[in-house]
Amino acid sequence: MYRVNKVTIVAFAMMLCIFLQTNISKADTFLAGGANGWGFQLNGWPNGKTFKTGDVIEFKYPAGAHNVVKVDQAGFNSCNGAGGQVFSSGDDKITLTKGTSYFICTIGQHCANGVKAAVIAN
């Protein structure tokens, strides 16, 4: 029968921890809307930006003035947040998954007036 000693197990566990820490530390945080934050001044954000799976988008805005709703492509195109995941703290941090993530504001006509963003993570 195959025997594994304690030193081998500890060494493997340490290597696994280092590997996981390295992958976690590679994630970046991006401010939605850049310096303007999440609101009417998105000015084409995130055009030209490159995102990775695991990166975090931080949505900063005055609580109550906006919200962030993570929707599918149809919800994004129609500005319909039904069934979407709602964030409303004014400082929402959302980790990106692989593919395109769609975000809109569902307060009043904000989405129709440009408070929306599609972010692609590779």
Side-chain angles (χ1 to χ4, degrees):
M1 178 170 283
Y2 183 70
R3 289 182 76 181
V4 178
N5 66 34
K6 291 180 185 179
V7 173
T8 304
I9 293 171
V10 169
F12 178 76
M14 289 176 61
M15 287 174 33
L16 183 60
C17 288
I18 291 168
F19 173 76
L20 291 174
Q21 180 61 36
T22 301
N23 283 341
I24 292 169
S25 66
K26 289 182 182 178
D28 292 317
T29 299
F30 295 87
L31 184 60
N36 295 322
W38 180 244
F40 293 108
Q41 302 299 317
L42 291 176
N43 297 327
W45 188 91
N47 295 344
K49 301 218 178 303
T50 303
F51 303 95
K52 302 179 302 293
T53 300
D55 282 349
V56 174
I57 306 297
E58 184 173 6
F59 294 84
K60 288 190 167 223
Y61 54 91
H66 294 290
N67 66 9
V68 179
V69 182
K70 185 174 182 184
V71 295
D72 60 16
Q73 186 175 10
F76 180 81
N77 292 337
S78 64
C79 289
N80 184 343
Q85 186 176 4
V86 180
F87 302 86
S88 58
S89 74
D91 188 10
D92 307 309
K93 295 173 183 76
I94 302 172
T95 302
L96 296 176
T97 55
K98 186 171 180 68
T100 305
S101 296
Y102 299 95
F103 305 101
I104 65 174
C105 177
T106 60
I107 294 181
Q109 293 297 308
H110 292 192
C111 177
N113 289 309
V115 186
K116 61 195 244 177
V119 177
I120 301 170
N122 297 313

